[in-house]
Amino acid sequence: MQTVMNLVGGGGASTPQYLSGDKPSIDAFIDKFDVFLFDCDGVLWSGDHLLPQIPETIQMLRDKNKRLVFVTNNSTKSRADYQKKFTSMGIPGISEEEVFGSSYSAAIYISRILKLPEPKNKVFVLGESGVEMELQSENVRFCGGTDPSLRREMQPSDFQNVANGSLLDADVGIVLTGLDYHPSYLKYALAQAYLRQGARFLATNIDSSLPSAGTLFPGAGAISAPLIQASGQEPLALGKPSQAMMDAIEGKFQFDRKRACMVGDRLNTDIEFGIRGGLGGTLCVLSGVSQKEEFLEKGAKVVPSAYVDGLGDLLG
Amino acid sequence: MQTVMNLVGGGGASTPQYLSGDKPSIDAFIDKFDVFLFDCDGVLWSGDHLLPQIPETIQMLRDKNKRLVFVTNNSTKSRADYQKKFTSMGIPGISEEEVFGSSYSAAIYISRILKLPEPKNKVFVLGESGVEMELQSENVRFCGGTDPSLRREMQPSDFQNVANGSLLDADVGIVLTGLDYHPSYLKYALAQAYLRQGARFLATNIDSSLPSAGTLFPGAGAISAPLIQASGQEPLALGKPSQAMMDAIEGKFQFDRKRACMVGDRLNTDIEFGIRGGLGGTLCVLSGVSQKEEFLEKGAKVVPSAYVDGLGDLLG
């Protein structure tokens, strides 16, 4: 369990610096970092709407030779899917290698850190193709996921066959949940049975809600909740603000955390992720979920080192 | 919130009385009550297996002119469905009027206690036909439930149409969740949208697991969990051990609580239900979930007034 404490800034700042319209401070802030980790939704775009001057800001940072990593908790898309999304949103030139999603984070954790011995190292997936594609990219075996046969109605015989194990894959040693747009009773029953047999319980992320069309829909944490409730177990989450994701990002990109800055719109995921990771700085953008009142008020729990109204303000 | 306290017995007993094989004590115990409320699974049957001497025990109680009420948290079956189940299990002569399920409890609460004004009093159901049948029996309007159109895949346009309200029924003022064997993302999204608009949040019951085929499957509480997680709200539960259910039972059958006994196999639902309801006694049967060690140990939280190895032991 995490200690109850206030999380301040990164880089030791106790009052966040407001950068919008202050060119000298912007330049000084940017100069402090070699690496920028970006949340996407609420920072680069809002739903299907590109925010102002985003391509230009990204290009400015590239011109200054900054390394850019786009960090997303959306598990339904693979890095390849995400790269296409950047292009379709009007942000050209982002490579698949610059994207780091929670599905990829989970795949890396399973293949490079957990490393369960053969043969009981197969993953039962509650999630969409983004999870499957990233597991494939790390040569991790899996079942469940988008398998259409698991979307069927639960039959009376299924109760027997889950209970006697004949519907279970004996190689499953891990249950990985993410956002699944096709939940079914059968999938939950199978996942619960695997957990009861001792499978490890992982989640791509546990965001309870998914912002879309200007409102909130059930997120990965909501869709995983039946399994948490039925099993009485909590999964290890591999998306923001889990430090397992930060470790995976650092393991892949090899950078000095003190020269890295996390940019995001949510205090309790993005900014907390950067602060707990010991990054040199955190930048909150006010174009998404969190409001400045939340970190400016006395006793605020999570305080970024700086903030701007929108990411485009970094152009000065 | 409930007060943290120990719940002892009903009738003031502090050490539960063991009745099996003690004919004089059994007779004295039975004589104390006019009404017996029975849990079903784990008491009368275990899954599909009738427990020993159940029909004979029920007949013995009828011969003594006891009123019998069969109280179940299973929301998927209506009272009519349950009456058929009794017959098929080999327990004849149970009338539909003697059955009191959590779906019926919810229907009564909605129609006779909550009584929301027209027209915004329609119920959006996350559950099976048992819920629908009981709402119908109380002339409560509903949508959702077994409507096959809600089992379809979530489409991109659905996000827009949930957000702009065009997929919502303007008359819905209540969301009622129970055990749904056909969960879908669309149903959860609709239910979340109704809650955001201020709909009342009710649950037939919140049992996290469903015993079947000798093991545990996701229960109503598990299947409702995405909605609790996504909305940040807790439903009012109308099954055991909620006293809303006890009030509804008393309202229907009109009896003296001090002359009533709750019989069940689970301490934290059945026995707690009887004790909190101020019944004259509670009888724990050891043919189901709870073990006697749980209430005989020092400092036990929930202690029945008496216990038997199996209900058939009441025959003496």
Side-chain angles (χ1 to χ4, degrees), chain A residues 153-154 159-160 162-163 179-183 185 188-189 192 196 208 210 212-213 215-218 221-223 225-226 229-230, chain B residues 153-154 159-160 162-163 179 181-183 185 188-189 192 196 208 210 212-213 215-218 221-223 225-226 229-230:
Chain A
E153 199 162 327
M154 188 83 178
F159 287 95
Q160 290 296 337
V162 168
L179 180 52
D180 190 338
Y181 290 124
H182 307 81
Y185 193 86
Y188 288 132
Q192 184 181 6
R196 202 169 35 241
S208 56
L210 173 76
S212 185
T215 185
L216 295 176
F217 287 84
I223 296 300
Q229 187 80 6
Chain B
E153 199 162 327
M154 188 84 177
F159 286 95
Q160 290 296 338
V162 169
L179 181 52
Y181 290 124
H182 307 81
Y185 193 86
Y188 288 131
Q192 184 181 6
R196 201 170 35 242
S208 56
L210 173 77
S212 184
T215 184
L216 296 176
F217 287 83
I223 295 301
Q229 187 79 7

Side-chain angles (χ1 to χ4, degrees), chain B residues 18-160:
Chain B
Y18 179 54
L19 300 180
S20 294
D22 180 353
K23 180 77 176 152
S25 294
I26 290 169
D27 289 342
F29 187 82
I30 292 174
D31 284 348
K32 284 197 280 184
F33 308 107
D34 304 322
V35 179
F36 286 86
L37 310 180
F38 289 97
D39 176 42
C40 302
D41 198 26
V43 175
L44 310 178
W45 55 71
S46 178
D48 285 333
H49 167 70
L50 185 65
L51 290 167
Q53 297 191 289
I54 296 303
E56 298 85 344
T57 307
I58 288 172
Q59 191 55 50
M60 176 272 289
L61 292 168
R62 284 205 193 288
D63 292 343
K64 289 177 183 280
N65 290 316
K66 306 299 181 186
R67 180 184 273 287
L68 311 181
V69 183
F70 299 91
V71 182
T72 168
N73 270 6
N74 184 333
S75 67
T76 63
K77 289 188 166 64
S78 67
R79 287 166 298 152
D81 294 330
Y82 240 79
Q83 194 269 333
K84 286 182 205 126
K85 173 154 184 168
F86 274 93
T87 306
S88 76
M89 292 298 294
I91 308 177
I94 307 293
S95 79
E96 194 179 317
E97 287 300 304
E98 292 175 308
V99 178
F100 207 97
S102 63
S103 289
Y104 184 55
S105 179
I108 284 191
Y109 180 82
I110 290 167
S111 65
R112 306 189 194 181
I113 298 170
L114 195 56
K115 291 192 280 197
L116 292 186
E118 291 264 1
K120 213 170 168 65
N121 59 357
K122 203 173 188 176
V123 179
F124 180 77
V125 176
L126 255 172
E128 296 291 340
S129 64
V131 179
E132 296 176 328
M133 288 170 70
E134 297 298 13
L135 289 174
Q136 263 160 357
S137 78
E138 289 287 308
N139 296 311
V140 174
R141 296 182 305 148
F142 63 86
C143 57
T146 60
D147 179 351
S149 75
L150 299 185
R151 295 179 187 173
R152 68 179 166 80
E153 199 162 327
M154 188 84 177
Q155 303 296 328
S157 60
D158 290 328
F159 286 95
Q160 290 296 338

Side-chain angles (χ1 to χ4, degrees), chain A residues 138-153:
Chain A
E138 288 286 307
N139 295 310
V140 174
R141 295 182 306 147
F142 63 87
C143 57
T146 60
D147 180 351
S149 75
L150 299 185
R151 294 178 187 173
R152 67 179 166 80
E153 199 162 327

Side-chain angles (χ1 to χ4, degrees), chain A residues 159-170 193-194 197:
Chain A
F159 287 95
Q160 290 296 337
N161 293 332
V162 168
N164 66 28
S166 64
L167 267 181
L168 304 181
D169 184 324
Y194 287 125
Q197 293 188 350

